[in-house]
Structure formats: structure tokens, C-alpha cells
Amino acid sequence: MHQPNSSPAPVYQDLILASERLLGHAHRTPVMTSRTINEAWGAEVFFKCENLQRTGAFKFRGAFNSLSRFDADQRRAGVVTFSSGNHAQAIALSARLLGIPAHIIMPADAPASKLAATRGYGANVIIYDRYTEDREKIGRDLAVEKGLTLIPPYDHPDVIAGQGTAAKEMFEDVGALDSFFVCLGGGGLLSGSALATRALAPKCKLYGVEPEAGNDGQQSFRSGKIVHIDTPNTIADGAQTQHLGQHTFAVIKRDVDDVLTVSDAQLIEGMRFMAERMKLMVEPTGCLGFAAASAMKEQLKGQRVGVLVSGGNVDLARFCSLLSA
């Protein structure tokens, strides 16, 4: 089993190097605004639209950055990861672009569209039962058996550095912010965003946002140690993680101001607004930051506010059923 060469703890310089590797491969996604929101909140609100990223989510950044650091032996042997969706597709596409064999461990009940997309990018998909089998053990065993490099979905310095480039671009495009709301699942996006925030807008209040049914991050942040929970029951499937990572928690504990939660009903309200008024198709997880900022709008008056929209990968039928409920 190989591990890519990377610093033990990511720093802002790693984001700069990641940006250089991603140039010409990842989209520099647009920052959008809504006059309706600005007027209603009495604030300037900026939406970084990673739903318009390759594979439909920010995950492509961390995946491509990680794989582009492989040496010749690692590229020849291949990569293994585990994911039910966005990270799976991101690793599969990145591996195809770089000519690296990819093995993706996915649950049997993963959305058919995500399974099809991952296979479509040329990856070898290995199915497991999420209720009786341990995906992390399957990944480690396969890495040892085949000499593969394991790239987990969030707890890896190269993944964190890649994800942080989204926030880095946002600050470069709009300048410093007073408050910034970022989705939180395993913490790759939030920890990467924290490195960018502290380097480029040190006075900005940075909030991680997770579903209230799965507030392991909030519990961890407030207790000072990583808390494990059962798989949460929430429509925010991209944030159905059971715990933060060692790398991600270290950055979050140091650099984030608070971790907030929102309900599934608030996420649906956010999805509906972004579809109707901004013409954006956003998955439930992608609305976490917007939902939390909406709940705090009275406190945000007069501020410059950033919202990181993490992705737009939701089946059309499910999207319609959630909004018609």
C-alpha cells in the first residue's frame, strides 16, 4: 500500500500548489449574487457555485490534486477509495484524465445515477453492504493486496488542500468577507476553506454547517474531541458522515468560529429558492451554508457574506419530489 508524498498537516502554501496543479483541469466556478437576497437581508451575499464544477461538486478539486501527486509507481499500480457518490465520481474522472487505474468501493444502495457515472468514467466499482461491511477495511485490505494508494474522501492533506482552492478563488474574486458559511460532512471542504480564510481574510467569521440530525461535527467542535455517531437520517446525503477526520478536525478546532446545524425543511426551502430565483440546481447538502445564513440574516445586516454551494448532484426525480412535498 502506498501513500502519496504530502505534508503531515496541510497549510495555506499547499492550497497555492494545489491551485497550480488544478489550472486547466478544474473549472474556476462562478460567484453569483441575488438582488432579492441582498435586499431582504440588507447585506451583500456571494455564492461560490461548486455545483457547476466538473462531476457536479467541489470533490473534483481534492481528487485531482491528490492523484496528480502520485509518483510513477503509484500511477502504474492505481488508486482505491470508498464513497457513495461525489468523491467516487471525482476520483474516477481524475484517474481517467491522469491514466491511473481506479478501484471505487461503493454501497449496494448508492444512487443508480452515481454508480453509472462512476463506471462511465472507467473505474472498477466494488459493491459492498453498508450495513454489514466496513468500507474502510475493504479499502485498506485491497490497497495492501494490490499495492494501491488509498485516497479517503476527506481525511487526507492533499484532499484538504484541493478542496480549499474553492474558497481561495472566492476570496480572490470578491475580496475579504465578514462571514462565510461552508457545508460540513467529513470536514475536507471546511478545513480547506479554513486555511484559505485565515490566510486571505483573517477577521472573517467562519461557520461550518451540518444537518441537525447528524451534528457530530458540532459535538466534536464543542467538546474538543472527535465524536462518533450512527449514520444520520437526513436528506443531506453528502453530509451523512459519522465522524470528522484527524486532519480535518485539527484545522476545524483551530480555525473555525462555530459549527451550526439546520433542518431538512430549511434545506428544501433553500433548494426551492435557488432553483426558482437563481436558476441553480443544488443538492440538499449544497444548501447547508445558505440555510444557516438565512436563519442568521438579522445578524448579517450590513455585512459581506460568503456561501459555499458544494454541489448539485441530485437525481431529477428526487429533486422534484423534495420540492413538491
Side-chain angles (χ1 to χ4, degrees):
M1 181 169 102
H2 295 285
Q3 289 295 343
N5 303 319
S6 57
S7 58
V11 295
Y12 181 66
Q13 180 63 26
D14 295 318
L15 274 67
I16 296 173
L17 296 173
S19 293
E20 293 169 1
R21 295 183 198 107
L22 290 169
L23 197 60
H25 299 287
H27 298 320
R28 189 179 184 100
T29 51
V31 176
M32 297 182 69
T33 58
S34 163
R35 185 177 299 172
T36 303
I37 288 292
N38 288 352
E39 290 177 357
W41 295 11
E44 276 189 285
V45 186
F46 303 93
F47 297 85
K48 177 64 169 171
C49 296
E50 284 294 292
N51 56 311
L52 302 177
Q53 185 53 262
R54 294 185 81 164
T55 71
F58 73 94
K59 292 281 191 179
F60 179 76
R61 295 174 181 272
F64 190 89
N65 184 54
S66 300
L67 268 57
S68 66
R69 300 202 65 207
F70 280 19
D71 62 27
D73 289 342
Q74 290 173 304
R75 288 180 183 234
R76 196 159 38 246
V79 63
V80 61
T81 194
F82 39 84
S83 165
S84 61
N86 289 346
H87 180 67
Q89 294 173 76
I91 287 284
L93 175 57
S94 298
R96 190 182 80 178
L97 293 172
L98 293 164
I100 297 171
H103 306 270
I104 318 282
I105 300 155
M106 299 184 73
D109 59 353
S113 61
K114 292 184 177 181
L115 284 164
T118 305
R119 290 190 175 110
Y121 289 131
N124 171 38
V125 173
I126 299 145
I127 300 295
Y128 80 103
D129 184 329
R130 75 162 88 217
Y131 301 103
T132 62
E133 295 180 285
D134 181 349
R135 66 180 192 171
E136 297 186 24
K137 183 180 186 303
I138 297 170
R140 288 193 301 270
D141 290 349
L142 199 61
V144 170
E145 178 192 334
K146 296 181 176 290
L148 308 173
T149 300
L150 176 64
I151 298 293
Y154 53 86
D155 200 28
H156 191 287
D158 293 339
V159 172
I160 292 168
Q163 316 307 31
T165 60
K168 176 178 174 289
E169 288 175 7
M170 184 169 191
F171 287 116
E172 289 169 351
D173 288 348
V174 305
L177 300 169
D178 298 302
S179 298
F180 189 20
F181 296 82
V182 179
C183 316
L184 173 58
L189 182 62
L190 179 57
S191 55
S193 297
L195 295 173
T197 303
R198 295 299 156 239
L200 301 175
K203 294 179 180 175
C204 177
K205 291 277 188 191
L206 177 61
Y207 301 99
V209 189
E210 59 189 350
E212 63 183 18
N215 73 331
D216 62 293
Q218 186 181 66
Q219 291 182 55
S220 302
F221 184 79
R222 295 187 180 169
S223 68
K225 60 179 187 292
I226 296 175
V227 172
H228 291 245
I229 62 169
D230 292 333
T231 301
N233 182 18
T234 171
I235 62 170
D237 58 294
Q240 281 182 302
T241 45
Q242 295 173 281
H243 59 88
L244 300 176
Q246 296 292 335
H247 289 291
T248 60
F249 181 58
V251 177
I252 289 167
K253 183 170 65 171
R254 182 190 70 207
D255 290 341
V256 171
D257 288 286
D258 202 0
V259 176
L260 313 171
T261 64
V262 295
S263 67
D264 282 1
Q266 288 172 285
L267 294 179
I268 291 170
E269 195 178 322
M271 289 171 69
R272 180 176 288 113
F273 178 87
M274 296 185 91
E276 289 181 348
R277 304 305 295 266
M278 298 181 70
K279 313 309 172 194
L280 291 173
M281 187 170 177
V282 181
E283 64 188 280
T285 309
C287 289
L288 284 165
F290 179 44
S294 297
M296 280 178 61
K297 62 186 177 187
E298 291 303 319
Q299 296 164 245
L300 302 175
K301 281 189 185 301
Q303 291 193 17
R304 289 168 53 81
V305 179
V307 173
L308 212 160
V309 180
S310 62
N313 288 329
V314 54
D315 291 337
L316 192 56
R318 176 162 170 72
F319 185 82
C320 294
S321 69
L322 287 171
L323 295 194
S324 62

